[in-house]
Amino acid sequence: MTTLHLQLRESDRRTVELRYLGNDSLNYPNRVLDLAEIQELLEAERVNYTEQNPRLVEFGQRLFNWLDGSGRWLSRLIDGQSDRLLVLAIDCSQGLAILPWETLHDGRQFLDLLGYKG
């Protein structure tokens, strides 16, 4: 099992810094993400999580692609997993916590996420 800790911290009103923490073998540089790419998701009061919502895949892909970036680091990490278990631990500020992280979709399928509240 590989655990990848993602820390998202708002740099200013327009950007977020993405930091990777965890296993020493995962050496990804910090990145700055543009909030404009997911503004619609940030402004949504609630996402309708029923199977009838045709936008769930779209929301999930937008979030996944936002994290994945042009370097496709997350896609490569998922594809390269030999033990088939990758845990994404997402630590984000209150404003980003409202995002529908449970809809993460890599273009093929929704990612199986387990949520824990401590």
Side-chain angles (χ1 to χ4, degrees):
M1 174 176 74
T2 300
T3 301
L4 179 60
H5 297 267
L6 304 178
Q7 188 178 66
L8 296 159
R9 293 291 179 252
E10 294 179 56
S11 302
D12 56 41
R13 299 184 117 187
R14 297 179 313 228
T15 61
V16 171
E17 182 179 7
L18 172 60
R19 299 177 186 149
Y20 311 92
L21 311 166
N23 300 358
D24 293 336
S25 62
L26 302 172
N27 294 318
Y28 297 105
N30 293 351
R31 294 183 23 238
V32 175
L33 305 178
D34 186 353
L35 287 171
E37 294 179 36
I38 58 164
Q39 192 61 42
E40 180 185 359
L41 297 177
L42 287 168
E43 292 172 354
E45 287 184 28
R46 283 187 8 192
V47 174
N48 181 3
Y49 291 106
T50 64
E51 291 181 19
Q52 292 79 24
N53 186 344
R55 299 194 70 196
L56 286 181
V57 170
E58 174 193 344
F59 292 159
Q61 285 181 311
R62 286 177 65 188
L63 273 177
F64 185 89
N65 291 335
W66 184 63
L67 290 175
D68 205 18
S70 60
R72 310 289 296 161
W73 68 271
L74 185 53
S75 295
R76 289 193 319 265
L77 183 62
I78 291 171
D79 291 343
Q81 284 300 288
S82 58
D83 59 11
R84 308 264 310 137
L85 182 59
L86 171 66
V87 176
L88 294 179
I90 302 172
D91 174 15
C92 54
S93 63
Q94 185 175 355
L96 297 173
I98 65 165
L99 290 170
W101 296 109
E102 59 277 9
T103 66
L104 280 175
H105 193 288
D106 66 1
R108 297 179 300 241
Q109 63 185 2
F110 288 102
L111 302 185
D112 292 327
L113 299 177
L114 299 175
Y116 297 96
K117 293 190 179 202

